[in-house]
Amino acid sequence: MEKVTDFFGSMVFDDRIMKATLSEKVYRSLKRTIDRGTPLDISVANAVAAAMKDWAIEKGATHYTHWFQPMTGVTAEKHDSFISPAPDGGVLMEFSGKELIKGEPDASSFPSGGL
């Protein structure tokens, strides 16, 4: 029987994975953003997104979730997909840095439009 410690957190794009998959320059820049709150450069965001997408697809992922805690005291999620239809009928596996840096302070993706 497996112990929880054998699998808990095993599919998280955490610091160990980032350090192993990102270039040293990108990793250092990302850590500055995380630790000091410096702006996330789009080139760094694109590199992180590419590494994250490749890692997730290797694990069998097709979708991702933006999980957040609005100031209402409850949590919310926005689900999206790596998969987009291609013009020829195939599929495109896409994920870019803009998905990592876009903000949504107005809750515009809620059915109410954030009103």
Side-chain angles (χ1 to χ4, degrees), residues 51-107:
M52 188 181 287
K53 181 190 76 165
D54 292 345
W55 173 85
I57 290 170
E58 282 178 16
K59 303 279 187 201
T62 57
H63 291 71
Y64 57 95
T65 300
H66 172 128
W67 179 75
F68 51 100
Q69 296 177 315
M71 296 175 71
T72 61
V74 296
T75 61
E77 298 177 20
K78 180 180 180 202
H79 298 263
D80 217 332
S81 175
F82 292 123
I83 300 170
S84 298
D88 66 359
V91 296
L92 300 171
M93 300 294 278
E94 300 178 315
F95 187 65
S96 71
K98 70 179 180 162
E99 306 302 325
L100 298 177
I101 60 175
K102 70 179 178 182
E104 192 178 327
D106 64 351

Side-chain angles (χ1 to χ4, degrees), residues 1 5-6 13-14 16 21 30 33 46 48 51 54 60 63 69 74-75 77-79 84 93 98 102 108 112 115:
M1 181 175 193
T5 55
D6 292 337
F13 193 77
D14 60 16
R16 295 169 295 169
T21 58
L30 179 63
T33 296
N46 283 331
V48 172
D54 292 345
H63 291 71
Q69 296 177 315
V74 296
T75 61
E77 298 177 20
K78 180 180 180 202
H79 298 263
S84 298
M93 300 294 278
K98 70 179 180 162
K102 70 179 178 182
S108 59
S112 68
L115 300 174

